Amino acid sequence: MSIRRPDPLAQVSDFDIRLLRIFRSVVECGGFSAAETVLGIGRSAISQQMSDLEQRLGLRLCQRGRAGFSLTEEGREVYQCALQLLSALESFRTEVNGLHQHLRGELIIGLTDNLVTLPHMRITHALAQLKERGPDVQIQIRMIAPNEVEQGVLDGRLHVGVVPQASALSGLEYQPLYSERSLLYCAVGHPLFYADDKALDDARIDSQDAIAPTFRLPADIQARYQALNCTASASDREGMAFLILTGRYIGYLPDHYAGLWVQQGRLRALKPTTRFYDLSLASVTRKGRRPHLVLESFLDSLAATR
């Protein structure tokens, strides 16, 4: 019964690649002595590594001795195969490096509404850098309620989101991005619009019809809404703005978002030195997510814009 000899190179290791590179240099230099300068190692070390390669391959690759250096028939074939392999490795390295330089793919972002008026513009700048690095990257932005952003990241419909930071949900990672201040506003036509802050007592403010958000907020901020007479609710800040602008409700809005209406004389802040809260906004990604070069590039740019 014949015994099948195992393949000498069932697996190609880094050591094999190194030996093949040395073999290529020896062949291109025409011998061991001439290859010493190119490789930066002595002739005895080259000879030893050539012997190691021959042993690994189970083939005699070259003749060396008084007659000089020459390849065997097998050596010529191995040399051609080595050229193909090393060329393929170089092409692989170039292509992978190219992926970092020229990103391709898709980025789906879920955003809490009305972040575009933030003066820091971190998301905008990070998107600009991403587009510069990867002109072919396709970006989708979905403006949805914060609770839907977190759920979308959890179930994989979104790659990343930006939400008000409350208690962390299991399975998600949060990185702080912004801190924004919200003030208590009323609109022209509301009974408190022309009231003097100094004469305006808290009991009168707390008795007005107010709006509560339905998205998650930290406990200390929720307590501020519980002190109000909340008779309406909204799933996002734009919905709250709609109701405040009716002139029938009071409610908290980010100052950067309300700023234009304040300048137009349509909104005013009530007792802004005491009726305010600061809210952290964070990027959110899924724990244990698969590697995603476009997403990681966006997150790196987001971190760099701090």
Side-chain angles (χ1 to χ4, degrees):
M1 182 178 67
S2 62
I3 300 176
R4 185 179 181 276
R5 182 182 177 185
D7 294 337
L9 281 183
Q11 293 182 342
V12 179
S13 67
D14 290 342
F15 179 64
D16 297 317
I17 299 298
R18 181 171 178 272
L19 294 179
L20 287 170
R21 292 186 190 279
I22 292 173
F23 175 55
R24 180 185 62 181
S25 295
V26 169
V27 174
E28 292 174 351
C29 291
F32 294 2
S33 297
E36 286 183 279
T37 303
V38 172
L39 294 172
I41 57 177
R43 180 174 176 176
S44 60
I46 295 174
S47 179
Q48 178 60 54
Q49 292 183 71
M50 287 295 296
S51 296
D52 291 341
L53 179 60
E54 289 178 328
Q55 185 175 358
R56 288 282 293 158
L57 297 176
L59 297 169
R60 183 73 171 174
L61 299 179
C62 60
Q63 302 292 342
R64 53 260 201 194
R66 293 182 180 180
F69 175 84
S70 63
L71 288 176
T72 63
E73 185 64 32
E74 291 83 1
R76 281 189 286 272
E77 293 189 25
V78 169
Y79 174 65
Q80 292 301 321
C81 291
L83 291 180
Q84 294 176 27
L85 173 61
L86 296 175
S87 176
L89 286 173
E90 181 61 23
S91 296
F92 174 78
R93 184 185 66 82
T94 301
E95 288 293 327
V96 170
N97 287 341
L99 289 176
H100 288 273
Q101 296 170 7
H102 304 289
L103 297 174
R104 298 178 183 86
E106 184 178 54
L107 183 68
I108 307 175
I109 312 172
L111 296 181
T112 299
D113 62 326
N114 305 123
L115 295 180
V116 72
T117 51
L118 273 164
H120 308 302
M121 299 290 283
R122 289 183 58 185
I123 296 172
T124 303
H125 293 156
L127 288 173
Q129 291 175 16
L130 177 65
K131 192 62 177 174
E132 182 178 354
R133 286 193 59 193
D136 296 327
V137 170
Q138 296 181 354
I139 299 171
Q140 292 187 34
I141 293 182
R142 299 178 183 173
M143 305 301 299
I144 49 181
N147 298 347
E148 294 179 46
V149 172
E150 290 175 308
Q151 187 57 49
V153 173
L154 272 174
D155 62 27
R157 288 180 290 116
L158 302 173
H159 294 124
V160 60
V162 178
V163 295
Q165 190 167 9
S167 56
L169 294 183
S170 176
L172 294 178
E173 293 179 340
Y174 298 81
Q175 292 296 328
L177 286 180
Y178 301 107
S179 179
E180 64 176 13
R181 174 157 293 190
S182 288
L183 303 176
L184 185 61
Y185 291 96
C186 68
V188 63
H190 192 278
L192 300 185
F193 189 79
Y194 294 107
D196 184 353
D197 270 346
K198 294 180 180 179
L200 192 57
D201 63 80
D202 289 334
R204 188 180 177 193
I205 293 175
D206 294 340
S207 67
Q208 305 298 312
D209 286 331
I211 311 152
T214 59
F215 50 86
R216 297 187 316 116
L217 289 169
D220 59 327
I221 295 177
Q222 289 178 359
R224 289 191 170 271
Y225 285 99
Q226 291 168 358
L228 298 175
N229 178 34
C230 292
T231 59
S233 63
S235 63
D236 51 51
R237 284 103 70 92
E238 187 169 0
M240 298 178 74
F242 267 112
L243 289 171
I244 295 170
L245 288 166
T246 65
R248 298 294 182 267
Y249 297 91
I250 63 173
Y252 286 97
L253 290 175
D255 56 3
H256 61 85
Y257 177 43
L260 180 60
W261 290 310
V262 172
Q263 292 177 17
Q264 294 173 345
R266 298 180 62 191
L267 288 183
R268 66 157 289 194
L270 300 169
K271 303 187 75 171
T273 59
T274 58
R275 293 285 182 146
F276 71 87
Y277 64 78
D278 294 321
L279 176 65
S280 293
L281 292 150
S283 65
V284 56
T285 52
R286 185 172 56 180
K287 290 181 180 178
R289 61 185 182 275
R290 293 180 180 178
H292 188 291
L293 193 57
V294 172
L295 172 59
E296 302 310 322
S297 179
F298 173 72
L299 294 176
D300 288 345
S301 296
L302 206 55
T305 57
R306 290 181 182 177

